[in-house]
Amino acid sequence: MTRGSLSGLPRENIELPDGSVLRRRSLVSDDAFIDAVAADVGHLGEWLRWARHPPTREETERFRAEQDADWDAGRSFVYVLTPPDRLDQVLGGGAMFPNGEVGVLEIGYWVCSPATGRGLATRAAAALTEEGLGLPGVKAMEIHCDQANARSAAIPPRIGYRLLRIEADEPQTAAEAGRSMVWRRHDGA
């Protein structure tokens, strides 16, 4: 482990109650990732600055390599969400990463528009929360989302997070209001 890394690594595959699987990003093909994001930039780009344009193969390969290095060093952990037994279809994704406070990981999550409204983001966020809280040295998890993103903001209270504060934040996409909601869940809820 490198300086600033976590003392343990999460599972590479996390099965959700409905059978869908959060898989370490490198376990899913670049083609499946590119196809999913490119087909949904209108929806995803509304809230995710990295998804405002279809990803190029070069960008995707570079980001995957960076994500692999960060995973192996215990710095951050990026997943994609797939149906059961399908590595060729991406439904969404999520990540766990340090937020700058010792013992606290932040999570992010996203779902492609054809898969919205089925609870996938809630189940993925819950699974990432439990996985993160199970890592040595992690005492709390956080979710940050823009106040204008009502669908995303509805998830943290469903899975045991409490709103800590709302703070001014620089908008990263045109849809954002620039008011970041900071939610936290401690070990043991």
Side-chain angles (χ1 to χ4, degrees):
M1 296 275 136
T2 61
R3 187 166 190 255
S5 68
L6 299 171
S7 59
L9 298 176
R11 292 177 291 163
E12 292 187 352
N13 292 290
I14 304 169
E15 188 171 335
L16 303 185
D18 68 346
S20 58
V21 182
L22 283 164
R23 300 179 193 279
R24 180 177 172 167
R25 169 60 189 93
S26 62
L27 300 178
V28 177
S29 77
D30 288 344
D31 288 336
F33 182 82
I34 290 168
D35 290 348
V37 175
D40 212 18
V41 292
H43 167 74
L44 296 174
E46 189 173 12
W47 302 109
L48 304 169
R49 70 172 176 243
W50 58 263
R52 289 183 293 195
H53 64 81
T56 66
R57 175 149 313 277
E58 294 76 24
E59 288 171 330
T60 302
E61 289 172 355
R62 184 178 74 246
F63 289 143
R64 181 185 26 78
E66 290 169 4
Q67 291 162 353
D68 256 0
D70 285 344
W71 185 298
D72 292 340
R75 289 187 292 263
S76 63
F77 312 101
V78 177
Y79 292 89
V80 291
L81 182 62
T82 68
D85 303 319
R86 297 272 317 259
L87 295 175
D88 63 338
Q89 183 183 6
V90 172
L91 302 172
M96 297 185 289
F97 46 93
N99 77 343
E101 186 177 337
V102 174
V104 179
L105 287 178
E106 184 177 332
I107 64 170
Y109 44 85
W110 56 277
V111 176
C112 294
S113 60
T116 60
R118 300 188 308 195
L120 286 171
T122 300
R123 288 190 293 278
L128 289 171
T129 298
E130 295 306 319
E131 191 72 18
L133 288 172
L135 294 174
V138 176
K139 64 180 181 184
M141 303 294 287
E142 283 189 356
I143 294 173
H144 296 209
C145 69
D146 191 85
Q147 196 171 19
N149 192 342
R151 289 186 84 152
S152 185
I155 292 171
R158 282 187 205 137
I159 59 174
Y161 283 74
R162 293 189 175 25
L163 182 63
L164 284 182
R165 65 186 175 276
I166 299 174
E167 58 191 17
D169 192 14
E170 187 69 30
Q172 300 295 310
T173 67
E176 292 185 344
R179 306 273 306 150
S180 184
M181 303 175 81
V182 178
W183 301 85
R184 182 172 281 192
R185 180 170 156 191
H186 292 278
D187 191 11

